[in-house]
Amino acid sequence: MTADVRIFGTVISTYTRIVEITCQEAGLSHETIPTPAHAPKNRHPFGKVPVVEVDGLELYESVSIVHYLDNSHNSGALQPNDPAARAVMDRWIAIANNYLFPLFEHGLVMPWIMHNYMGAELDRAKIDRALPNISRALAFCDAEIANDGAWTNGDFDLANIFLYCVLRGVQLTPQGGVGIAQCPHLSAWMAVTEHRDSIRATRWESEPD
Ligand SMILES: N[C@@H](CCC(=O)N[C@@H](CS)C(=O)NCC(=O)O)C(=O)O
């Protein structure tokens, strides 16, 4: 039987997982078809993943995809009703996408992926250059979540999904694991979130049980 949602993405991918978690939360069956970002068959016009097929639509860009899935199949349960809380959620999604992901991905996560999975020499110089800014970003997140233990209004929403996936990639690197362990509030939130069913169901193969 065909899955409700067909996700074309790479197997270890922050944004593919964001879509997978949203499917899980919305009770949608999903199938991930391994598709490298720069493969000619990838239909994203800017060479990114994921691209999604759902309800006869082809969607790309995770923000657009997850809003569609949540609005069409989950009664918007992953978005606060209150406009002020929704603005805060949108701000966190923007922070995750515009500042955290590029910093973490290029400075730390990708050098380790290239090293662990592609046999490339570890680019230690690149990691060393990025670490001070990564530490500052983690400290910012730690201070923010320290306020009341939540990013938005306390419910698990789309911001939680983006932030968890972006931070989890960092946590799985040696330097990122140490950096997050030094942020007590952030580590506590990661530890609780890790047990959520949708998060457990979408674990990367590289993640320990
Ligand atoms: N703005 C895109 C970003 C997607 C993205 O950066 N995906 C990564 C994988 S997690 C990718 O395609 N990387 C390949 C590259 O940038 O060359 C979205 O939200 O869907």
Side-chain angles (χ1 to χ4, degrees):
M1 210 169 83
T2 316
D4 296 325
V5 185
R6 284 162 54 81
I7 306 168
F8 299 85
T10 39
V11 181
I12 307 178
S13 155
T14 299
Y15 286 98
T16 300
R17 188 172 185 188
I18 285 168
V19 173
E20 291 170 347
I21 293 172
T22 307
C23 289
Q24 288 287 135
E25 291 285 337
L28 291 162
S29 65
H30 54 96
E31 175 192 12
T32 298
I33 297 103
T35 309
H38 297 288
K41 65 180 177 183
N42 181 19
R43 288 163 285 169
H44 192 295
F46 293 90
K48 304 284 183 189
V49 291
V51 172
V52 157
E53 288 174 1
V54 57
D55 301 334
L57 301 169
E58 179 174 283
L59 302 177
Y60 55 87
E61 286 301 300
S62 56
V63 171
S64 156
I65 297 166
V66 298
H67 277 88
Y68 176 80
L69 297 175
D70 190 45
N71 289 330
S72 303
H73 293 279
N74 197 30
S75 310
L78 292 169
Q79 300 162 75
N81 288 326
D82 170 48
R86 194 177 284 225
V88 175
M89 179 193 77
D90 289 341
R91 184 178 69 206
W92 276 113
I93 294 172
I95 289 173
N97 289 341
N98 295 324
Y99 310 124
L100 302 182
F101 179 77
L103 179 61
F104 298 161
E105 183 76 356
H106 301 305
L108 184 58
V109 176
M110 201 40 85
W112 275 108
I113 288 181
M114 295 300 289
H115 178 64
N116 289 339
Y117 298 99
M118 309 290 176
E121 197 174 325
L122 183 65
D123 194 339
R124 290 189 187 276
K126 186 182 258 187
I127 293 174
D128 287 347
R129 276 197 305 277
L131 281 178
N133 283 336
I134 291 175
S135 296
R136 271 191 286 277
L138 293 177
F140 167 73
C141 292
D142 193 51
E144 287 289 313
I145 194 108
N147 288 333
D148 56 8
W151 303 106
T152 50
N153 64 354
D155 291 337
F156 186 85
D157 61 22
L158 293 174
N160 286 255
I161 298 177
F162 277 83
L163 287 163
Y164 182 82
C165 292
V166 166
L167 288 161
R168 185 62 178 144
V170 172
Q171 196 176 34
L172 290 171
T173 67
Q175 296 86 350
V178 171
I180 290 185
Q182 287 168 347
C183 297
H185 306 281
L186 190 56
S187 331
W189 176 77
M190 295 289 290
V192 169
T193 307
E194 192 178 306
H195 292 294
R196 196 171 173 91
D197 287 348
S198 61
I199 304 282
R200 292 183 63 78
T202 58
R203 273 204 307 257
W204 290 309
E205 271 178 26
S206 55
E207 285 189 78
D209 275 348

